[in-house]
Amino acid sequence: MRKFLLSTVAVGLSVTPALAEVSDGKVKIGILNDQSGVYADFGGKSSYQAALMAVEDFGGKVLDAPIEVVTADHQNKADIASNIARQWYDTEQVDSIMELTTSSVGLAVQALSLEKKKITINTGAATTELTGAQCSPYGFHWAYDTHMLAVGTGGALVKAGGDSWFFLTADYAFGYSLEEQTSNLVKAQGGTVVGAVRHPLATTDFSSFLLQAQSSGAKVIGLANAGMDTQNAIKQASEFGITQGGQKLAALLFTLAEVHGLGLDAAQGLNLTESFYWNRDEPSRKFAERFKERAGVMPNMVHAGTYSAVTQYLKAIEAAGTDETEAVAAKLHEMPVDDVFAQGGKVGANGRLIKDVYLMEVKKPDEVTEDWDYYRIVATIPGAEAFADPAESGCLLVK
């Protein structure tokens, strides 16, 4: 009997270690973003589909434990997002939260996650504060940031002669960060910033703001906003004859989803920067076609970035042999990122994914030969140039 019991214990130990290393017997990921407001097309429910697709492609399990994905709409409000995140962590066994469109939301949830020792991978917000002064050992920034947008779109327009700027800025953390980053770049290249005006999030009337921009005489009007705000600003700028008068519009955060929503007649000729384009190469195209079958749209950098973030998180759990936060965070910092979104990517000590990005020009309507093929790639910007050096980011985690 003694030999039998010892044998039974030994067998039990040999078959259960994997599940014992996964908290609550499952890995649960939350996709928290705007699903009904100005950024609903930017990320929204399509990011949730990207996460589900990543889980399915991974096989639905990690360390023999099932993977679940939940989602919620934070309505672009930091307090609502924090309440949802707290409930997910405290009562619903969510292990990691991702996407997090809107910089104020991203900062709030990352701060809560630091308190709770949970991992966030931000693919939807832009502010460099996430990997700067407010960085976290458990916080990662994946798809893009304001430094990348300033270097790409802002840098291209200054080099093309757009050396005087006026900013039309969304009145919250993202807008401030994007205006600051682009202003610094313009000035560093010998340009000037002649003024700025800030508008409420989700405003529908840009007339007074655009008139101020028009009367400034600046060669470039920098739209430091995103989503429907940018679309509405561009439409109304056309009605005021701003571009016809010789001023250029710089859509500093504009993605494929917004180009599609705005239409090529209004968007043609715009320069913009994305970290993913579905028709860049054959692997990107194959991924995008599968994504479109389930989401109904071609992926932008937020959608593809969410797919990559979920995949890399699951790879990190597998490599660590556990979903324990410290071990997984260490693997996320250590492992290279090689997938359809990032080739040869690496994660800095501040949590910033560093990868190549692309300066685009929106095609004219008569140049488009197939649906959604709206971009011409003007330049590839190396990751080391597109993103700030972690040592200069202001993150106290960087030694």
Side-chain angles (χ1 to χ4, degrees):
M1 177 62 72
R2 176 184 175 85
K3 289 181 180 179
F4 173 77
L5 289 172
L6 288 173
S7 172
T8 302
V9 170
V11 170
L13 289 174
S14 69
V15 298
T16 59
L19 282 176
E21 295 299 326
V22 174
S23 59
D24 307 305
K26 62 181 178 296
V27 171
K28 197 168 184 179
I29 299 167
I31 302 299
L32 184 57
N33 60 11
D34 175 14
Q35 299 180 10
S36 57
V38 293
Y39 302 140
D41 292 337
F42 180 74
K45 294 179 181 178
S46 294
S47 289
Y48 175 57
Q49 290 299 321
L52 292 175
M53 184 173 165
V55 169
E56 291 171 14
D57 287 352
F58 201 81
K61 290 185 176 183
V62 60
L63 300 180
D64 290 331
I67 306 162
E68 296 181 21
V69 183
V70 295
T71 190
D73 182 355
H74 61 46
Q75 302 173 48
N76 293 312
K77 296 178 181 177
D79 57 341
I80 291 176
S82 295
N83 288 337
I84 293 170
R86 189 178 297 277
Q87 179 179 332
W88 277 356
Y89 288 151
D90 291 349
T91 66
E92 298 185 28
Q93 295 82 49
V94 168
D95 299 293
S96 175
I97 298 178
M98 303 186 195
E99 222 269 40
L100 295 167
T101 301
T102 314
S103 291
S104 54
V105 165
L107 291 167
V109 174
Q110 180 167 285
L112 174 65
S113 300
L114 174 60
E115 174 192 328
K116 298 289 186 179
K117 287 191 66 174
K118 299 285 189 177
I119 287 172
T120 58
I121 306 183
N122 199 307
T123 61
T127 179
T128 52
E129 285 291 289
L130 288 162
T131 52
Q134 299 189 50
C135 68
S136 162
Y138 317 126
F140 299 86
H141 204 178
W142 219 249
Y144 72 103
D145 64 22
T146 51
H147 186 278
M148 176 198 109
L149 300 171
V151 169
T153 310
L157 288 170
V158 173
K159 290 176 184 176
D163 56 3
S164 63
W165 286 61
F166 184 97
F167 287 93
L168 200 160
T169 303
D171 192 12
Y172 74 103
F174 152 67
Y176 312 150
S177 180
L178 186 50
E179 179 188 323
E180 179 184 17
Q181 295 275 346
T182 310
S183 295
N184 291 342
L185 183 140
V186 169
K187 293 172 185 177
Q189 295 188 2
T192 58
V193 176
V194 301
V197 63
R198 290 172 175 173
H199 69 81
L201 179 67
T203 187
T204 57
D205 184 3
F206 284 88
S207 57
S208 64
F209 309 120
L210 288 168
L211 285 172
Q212 290 180 64
Q214 188 177 36
S215 63
S216 73
K219 293 179 182 178
V220 179
I221 300 171
L223 302 177
N225 49 24
M228 285 298 297
D229 281 344
T230 307
Q231 291 186 52
N232 287 332
I234 292 172
K235 287 177 183 176
Q236 292 173 40
S238 177
E239 293 168 4
F240 279 104
I242 288 177
T243 53
Q244 294 91 324
Q247 289 176 296
K248 289 185 177 294
L249 295 178
L252 294 169
L253 177 50
F254 212 52
T255 75
L256 192 73
E258 288 74 54
V259 172
H260 185 75
L262 181 60
L264 288 176
D265 285 337
Q268 61 182 305
L270 284 173
N271 285 120
L272 55 91
T273 307
E274 287 210 57
S275 52
F276 176 84
Y277 184 43
W278 73 269
N279 210 13
R280 186 180 71 87
D281 57 22
E282 191 59 26
S284 300
R285 187 182 181 92
K286 288 181 178 179
F287 164 79
E289 289 171 346
R290 289 199 300 123
F291 181 83
K292 187 174 183 293
E293 286 180 4
R294 65 186 303 149
V297 298
M298 283 297 187
N300 63 11
M301 63 180 173
V302 177
H303 307 140
T306 301
Y307 176 92
S308 172
V310 171
T311 300
Q312 193 74 0
Y313 175 65
L314 296 174
K315 287 180 179 179
I317 292 174
E318 189 172 63
T322 176
D323 68 346
E324 191 273 326
T325 296
E326 297 278 1
V328 175
K331 288 298 180 182
L332 284 168
H333 279 286
E334 170 190 319
M335 295 167 56
V337 183
D338 279 295
D339 55 31
V340 72
F341 175 72
Q343 297 80 50
K346 62 179 181 179
V347 176
N350 60 346
R352 172 71 257 173
L353 171 62
I354 299 170
K355 66 173 293 293
D356 292 351
V357 304
Y358 311 101
L359 175 65
M360 316 284 197
E361 182 178 76
V362 179
K363 294 178 179 179
K364 297 176 181 178
D366 61 5
E367 295 174 329
V368 175
T369 58
E370 59 180 315
D371 288 346
W372 293 92
D373 187 26
Y374 301 149
Y375 293 162
R376 177 185 301 104
I377 298 178
V378 176
T380 298
I381 305 170
E385 179 183 337
F387 299 101
D389 185 338
E392 299 174 1
S393 66
C395 175
L396 295 178
L397 299 173
V398 183
K399 297 179 181 178

